[in-house]
Amino acid sequence: FASRRQRRPCGTTRTPRPHRHCLGRVPDAAGHGKRHAWAVRSSWEGLSLDDHMSDVEAFCAAVGASDGTVPVDLVGYSMGGATAFALAARHVNGSAPAASRLPVRRVALLAPALLVTQELYAMTLSVQRHGGVERCVYNYRTEAEAEEMLRLVGYAEPLCEKLAPVLAWGRRDQPPDFWWKMWRGLGGVQAFGEGEVDAAVDAKRAALASSGSVLAEAATPVLVVQ
């Protein structure tokens, strides 16, 4: 973005100087990037949505973003989108501790993992009951499995072929069931049995509706890029 005064005759623009309090911080989400070494413990069972939110809160506190003086814009992709949406609602409605409350100003969600189809919930509950983590499309490890996942979430076919090798390579050193546990934890399905697909979906919808109502009442802008 640039004002007319910042535009150069050749059509390029100068980058506007950021506000002195404008800081960009992009941490690896819990379980992503290099933050998964602790997950090789056999007792580790994944991360819940609350775990993800608490992790972001701890990060914000560590970088001084939770003192209430500087507005915070939350941007989340995929699992991070689900975290950002719920986190924004938790801090906007005042349920977060006052001493660490984030003054959320805006939220941007990029292909957020907010809700999946009943078929995918059925798959998740079936794997939870009978095993076979390779049946979980989000637990992909090979290039072919990565392509299947990319098609499922809506990537164009040429991109599926290009991105699949990169995604598969990124998971080469992770435990075989790592992303199954990550997915199960985020989905919050542990409390449901195999035949309770509708109940699992309804519970997720209710949580999303609650967060959405909080943000709507507070007039917090939410941009979704699907």
Side-chain angles (χ1 to χ4, degrees):
F1 297 91
S3 68
R4 291 184 179 179
R5 293 170 123 186
Q6 293 168 318
R7 293 176 186 161
R8 298 182 182 181
C10 65
T12 61
T13 61
R14 299 181 189 276
T15 302
R17 293 182 62 185
H19 189 276
R20 64 189 179 92
H21 291 307
C22 179
L23 297 174
R25 296 289 185 265
V26 187
D28 280 337
H32 294 69
K34 295 184 179 299
R35 298 189 62 204
H36 68 271
W38 35 263
V40 298
R41 299 193 302 267
S42 60
S43 59
W44 184 77
E45 289 298 326
L47 296 167
S48 68
L49 184 58
D50 278 340
D51 292 333
H52 285 286
M53 289 192 286
S54 296
D55 185 68
V56 176
E57 289 167 340
F59 174 83
C60 289
V63 299
S66 59
D67 60 3
T69 62
V70 181
V72 174
D73 296 332
L74 295 173
V75 181
Y77 166 69
S78 191
M79 280 190 176
T83 302
F85 189 68
L87 183 68
R90 180 151 86 177
H91 285 261
V92 166
N93 73 2
S95 60
S100 60
R101 196 167 299 158
L102 299 174
V104 177
R105 178 174 56 180
R106 294 173 298 199
V107 183
L109 310 176
L110 312 177
L114 295 176
L115 184 66
V116 298
T117 64
Q118 288 182 308
E119 289 78 10
L120 286 174
Y121 266 104
M123 173 273 295
T124 303
L125 294 173
S126 175
V127 173
Q128 181 171 257
R129 172 73 182 275
H130 303 289
V133 296
E134 67 281 355
R135 293 190 290 129
C136 176
V137 69
Y138 299 110
N139 192 56
Y140 64 84
R141 295 181 61 80
T142 68
E143 291 185 19
E145 290 169 345
E147 281 195 39
E148 179 185 359
M149 189 281 300
L150 289 166
R151 291 190 186 98
L152 176 69
V153 299
Y155 278 81
E157 189 63 30
L159 289 177
C160 294
E161 297 175 2
K162 290 181 180 179
L163 291 175
V166 178
L167 296 182
W169 180 84
R171 296 189 174 188
R172 68 196 187 285
D173 297 326
Q174 295 173 344
D177 62 351
F178 176 78
W179 284 100
W180 154 248
K181 290 181 176 180
M182 286 285 286
W183 163 247
R184 181 183 59 183
L186 182 74
V189 299
Q190 293 90 329
F192 299 97
E194 187 175 4
E196 298 179 296
V197 175
D198 290 341
V201 174
D202 289 345
K204 193 67 173 178
R205 283 177 175 160
L208 290 174
S210 177
S211 295
S213 295
V214 167
L215 296 173
E217 289 174 10
T220 302
V222 179
L223 170 69
V224 180
V225 180
Q226 187 66 12

